[in-house]
Amino acid sequence: KRLAAQNLIRSRRGPTGGTFINRPSAADLSDALTSTTTLLVGMDAFSMEDINQTRLLLGTNCLQLAAQQISSEQLSQLELELTQQQDDSLSPEQFCASDVRFHRLIAEASGNPLLSFIMRSIIEALQPVSNMVTFRFRERSVIIDQHQRLLTALQQHNPELACSIFVEQVYYLAEKTDQAQQWKAKNLLKHE
């Protein structure tokens, strides 16, 4: 029953029935990893320092590879996301979704399927949490500017510049997360 609940096996009745092993797709496994990571983040199993350190380590590796081999089609997809992000009518959730897609595209552009697989769970699980925690404090214009400069660095196939911009973004979001947490703690004290 546990294996069936995890969609790893399936049962079929009848003369040709039995229990069969499912071969999960990479997308299914990535979704499961993302769900687990999201759950653990929600339970405070990881500190923000751990999260930011992981994003920096893996994100800069993705950017170094992507800067060397990103295709014109992938650059066009990044441009489309950037154009969407500049729409002032986007809700915070829509902006966050575009931000996730932007960073997922960079991970895919790394050309390393395993790195992209791991980064997908980090991006999908941690980016929305970070964005939704900080949406009151972060400036969309700053994120858009950082994304524009990231895109330019990737167009120029400049991994050092791309990585420095990404580091800037992670530290900016870490600062805004700290502000959000301080604001939340202050408001909790007011209500007690």
Side-chain angles (χ1 to χ4, degrees), residues 69-134:
Q69 57 197 17
I70 194 165
S71 70
S72 57
E73 181 182 329
Q74 289 166 324
L75 287 169
S76 295
Q77 290 173 329
L78 286 172
E79 287 173 3
L80 287 173
E81 285 303 330
L82 188 57
T83 299
Q84 183 173 1
Q85 291 170 16
Q86 294 167 341
D87 181 352
D88 292 334
S89 69
L90 281 183
S91 70
E93 293 82 7
Q94 291 169 321
F95 184 84
C96 177
S98 178
D99 186 28
V100 167
R101 287 190 300 270
F102 186 88
H103 287 280
R104 193 179 338 138
L105 285 166
I106 292 171
E108 290 168 6
S110 73
N112 182 317
L114 181 56
L115 183 58
S116 180
F117 173 81
I118 294 167
M119 277 303 293
R120 180 179 173 142
S121 76
I122 292 170
I123 293 165
E124 298 280 337
L126 304 182
Q127 195 95 1
V129 171
S130 174
N131 281 342
M132 297 318 288
V133 165
T134 61

Side-chain angles (χ1 to χ4, degrees), residues 116-170:
S116 180
F117 173 81
I118 294 167
M119 277 303 293
R120 180 179 173 142
S121 76
I122 292 170
I123 293 165
E124 298 280 337
L126 304 182
Q127 195 95 1
V129 171
S130 174
N131 281 342
M132 297 318 288
V133 165
T134 61
F135 84 94
R136 292 178 190 216
F137 299 93
R138 65 143 164 72
E139 299 282 334
R140 276 191 193 188
S141 60
V142 172
I143 300 296
I144 291 168
D145 174 65
Q146 290 165 339
H147 285 175
Q148 179 62 63
R149 290 185 291 129
L150 261 176
L151 175 59
T152 301
L154 290 170
Q155 289 168 330
Q156 296 170 351
H157 302 284
N158 187 335
E160 293 81 16
L161 180 58
C163 289
S164 70
I165 296 163
F166 180 70
V167 168
E168 174 191 324
Q169 186 173 70
V170 170

